[in-house]
Amino acid sequence: MSKTDYSVYLVTDTGMCPRENLIDVCGKAIDGGTTLIQLREKDISSRAFYEEALALKALCARRAVPLLINDRVDIALAAGADGIHIGQSDIPLEAAQRLLGKDKIIGVSAGSVAEAVEAEQGGADYLGVGAVFPTSTKDDAENVGIDMLKAVRGAVKIPIVGIGGINAENIEKLRGTGIDGVAVVSCIMASRDPEAAAAALKEKVHNL
Amino acid sequence: MSKTDYSVYLVTDTGMCPRENLIDVCGKAIDGGTTLIQLREKDISSRAFYEEALALKALCARRAVPLLINDRVDIALAAGADGIHIGQSDIPLEAAQRLLGKDKIIGVSAGSVAEAVEAEQGGADYLGVGAVFPTSTKDDAENVGIDMLKAVRGAVKIPIVGIGGINAENIEKLRGTGIDGVAVVSCIMASRDPEAAAAALKEKVHNL
């Protein structure tokens, strides 16, 4: 398997676009430079999740973009996805590894250096670290997120993507953090022009 | 694998008992004669579902009672459960079979003869058929459920459990339907005496 490009990492949210537009939005996001897609669904039947994963995998396979599934190892396996992304309240990393085998990508959400180190030691392929730009009225919230990215970068060797409120306007604040990519939801999913939104991130992420 | 006994089939519902009592209630239900347990959870994190499945599997293994997981093939595999039960809005039977292999039990919910025949032809191990006693103000609703059980029994050869409002008071109305067991939720889960509730069903189910 070639090295995974985490630089422009799209997390889907069908709360932000009509579900019937999902494949179209993802296709445009890939046109703009999205390098990896994570399909995330929460309030949906397993059947609908599976069918959506199949359709998105077909698109991603044509475009040579890896598809990860949020949380659901069974959906990932059934739809032939390239891996999963798990949070701290999903099934444990070691259980996911047993089910998925060695060839699939497994990413883990980390909200602290301790969680990041534990996931790396457990064999995670990459980390989603955040929230980078949390919604907060505190003036220093932004620096807390950026400082955590730097601290995690200093503590682990596996790829890191920052997540949480990142967009083309604030991405330059992440310069010097040493992250491998930015994971975004709304800045592409809720955009009127997903291709341009992805392209704006792609241009700037390589200058970090 | 020995022949599965579907006669007193408990479907869990932690909306009906405090979650911390689940293992205790299931243990008492087994004391009373429960022959199979299906763990069903809807609004719970994957981590909590997995940990609950592990704990319930430990109980079921000690008591030689099969444990099935509702919907989630990944939880079933990770926790070493004996199989799954899938509804019409869960992942398709053929996808579940690919993930689970031949040695696990796969049950399918059928609400019509057509769904029952399709599931049998697809290789389901058993059917959950209902709702037998739906909540309804129509006087003939009860007969609709019982007539459907008989029609499904006439159309398929695999084991059938009736589900939907069955309890120790109305179970005798199922005499002559030819079903292999009764699947119950509230009549055990919401009982003050789960052992007695299961025992009452066990006594009567063998007279059907």
Side-chain angles (χ1 to χ4, degrees):
Chain A
M1 193 166 62
S2 60
K3 193 154 174 278
T4 304
D5 181 350
Y6 294 99
S7 60
V8 182
Y9 180 133
L10 172 62
V11 182
T12 70
D13 185 340
T14 49
M16 292 184 181
C17 78
R19 180 157 281 138
E20 61 268 27
N21 293 359
L22 177 69
I23 303 300
D24 181 54
V25 169
C26 288
K28 288 172 176 163
I30 294 172
D31 291 339
T34 293
T35 59
L36 185 149
I37 296 178
Q38 177 195 136
L39 177 61
R40 181 164 65 180
E41 288 288 358
K42 289 300 179 190
D43 297 313
I44 188 174
S45 74
S46 291
R47 177 73 61 103
F49 197 170
Y50 168 69
E51 289 174 353
E52 201 168 71
L54 278 182
L56 192 51
K57 176 58 195 173
L59 169 73
C60 288
R62 284 198 302 276
R63 306 296 302 274
V65 164
L67 174 67
L68 308 185
I69 305 295
N70 183 277
D71 181 11
R72 293 287 298 267
V73 177
D74 49 355
I75 302 291
L77 287 169
D82 302 280
I84 61 163
H85 184 89
I86 50 177
Q88 298 289 324
S89 64
D90 296 333
I91 73 168
L93 177 57
E94 57 82 19
Q97 289 167 328
R98 274 190 282 129
L99 300 185
L100 283 165
K102 297 228 173 253
D103 292 340
K104 300 288 189 182
I105 299 167
I106 305 181
V108 175
S109 296
S112 67
V113 170
E115 288 177 355
V117 169
E118 184 187 5
E120 181 178 59
Q121 290 176 345
D125 293 295
Y126 77 90
L127 301 173
V129 176
V132 175
F133 296 115
T135 304
S136 171
T137 54
K138 291 185 193 168
D139 288 339
D140 62 351
E142 181 176 305
N143 291 327
V144 170
I146 292 171
D147 287 349
M148 185 175 64
L149 279 186
K150 291 178 181 172
V152 170
R153 179 69 292 167
V156 302
K157 291 186 159 52
I158 56 176
I160 295 171
V161 296
I163 187 165
I166 300 169
N167 57 45
E169 282 66 55
N170 62 24
I171 188 173
E172 291 177 357
K173 294 179 180 171
L174 304 181
R175 193 166 290 170
T177 56
I179 59 175
D180 300 274
V182 290
V184 299
V185 190
S186 61
C187 103
I188 290 178
M189 294 304 293
S191 171
R192 291 186 183 180
D193 189 343
E195 179 178 349
L201 290 170
K202 186 161 196 83
E203 186 189 336
K204 295 183 178 176
V205 77
H206 288 296
N207 293 325
L208 293 186
Chain B
M1 193 166 62
S2 60
K3 194 156 171 276
T4 304
D5 181 350
Y6 295 99
S7 60
V8 182
Y9 180 134
L10 172 61
V11 182
T12 69
D13 184 342
T14 48
M16 292 185 181
C17 78
R19 180 157 282 138
E20 62 268 27
N21 293 359
L22 177 68
I23 302 300
D24 181 55
V25 169
C26 288
K28 287 173 177 163
I30 294 171
D31 291 339
T34 293
T35 60
L36 185 149
I37 296 178
Q38 177 195 138
L39 177 62
R40 182 164 65 180
E41 288 289 357
K42 290 298 178 191
D43 298 313
I44 187 174
S45 73
S46 291
R47 177 71 62 102
F49 197 170
Y50 167 68
E51 290 175 353
E52 203 168 72
L54 277 182
L56 192 51
K57 176 59 195 172
L59 170 73
C60 287
R62 284 197 303 275
R63 305 297 300 273
V65 164
L67 174 66
L68 307 184
I69 305 295
N70 182 277
D71 180 14
R72 292 288 298 267
V73 178
D74 50 355
I75 302 291
L77 287 169
D82 302 280
I84 61 163
H85 184 90
I86 50 177
Q88 297 288 323
S89 64
D90 296 333
I91 72 168
L93 177 56
E94 57 82 18
Q97 289 167 328
R98 273 189 283 127
L99 301 185
L100 283 166
K102 298 228 172 253
D103 292 339
K104 300 287 188 183
I105 299 167
I106 305 182
V108 175
S109 295
S112 68
V113 171
E115 288 177 355
V117 169
E118 183 187 5
E120 181 178 59
Q121 290 177 344
D125 293 295
Y126 77 92
L127 301 173
V129 177
V132 175
F133 297 115
T135 304
S136 170
T137 54
K138 293 183 193 167
D139 287 339
D140 62 350
E142 182 175 304
N143 290 328
V144 170
I146 292 171
D147 287 349
M148 184 174 66
L149 279 185
K150 291 177 181 172
V152 170
R153 179 69 292 166
V156 302
K157 292 187 159 54
I158 55 176
I160 295 172
V161 297
I163 186 164
I166 300 169
N167 57 45
E169 282 66 55
N170 62 24
I171 188 172
E172 290 175 356
K173 294 179 180 172
L174 304 181
R175 192 168 291 170
T177 56
I179 59 175
D180 301 89
V182 290
V184 299
V185 188
S186 61
C187 103
I188 290 179
M189 293 304 294
S191 171
R192 290 187 185 179
D193 189 344
E195 179 178 349
L201 290 170
K202 185 160 197 86
E203 186 188 336
K204 294 182 179 177
V205 77
H206 289 295
N207 293 325
L208 292 187

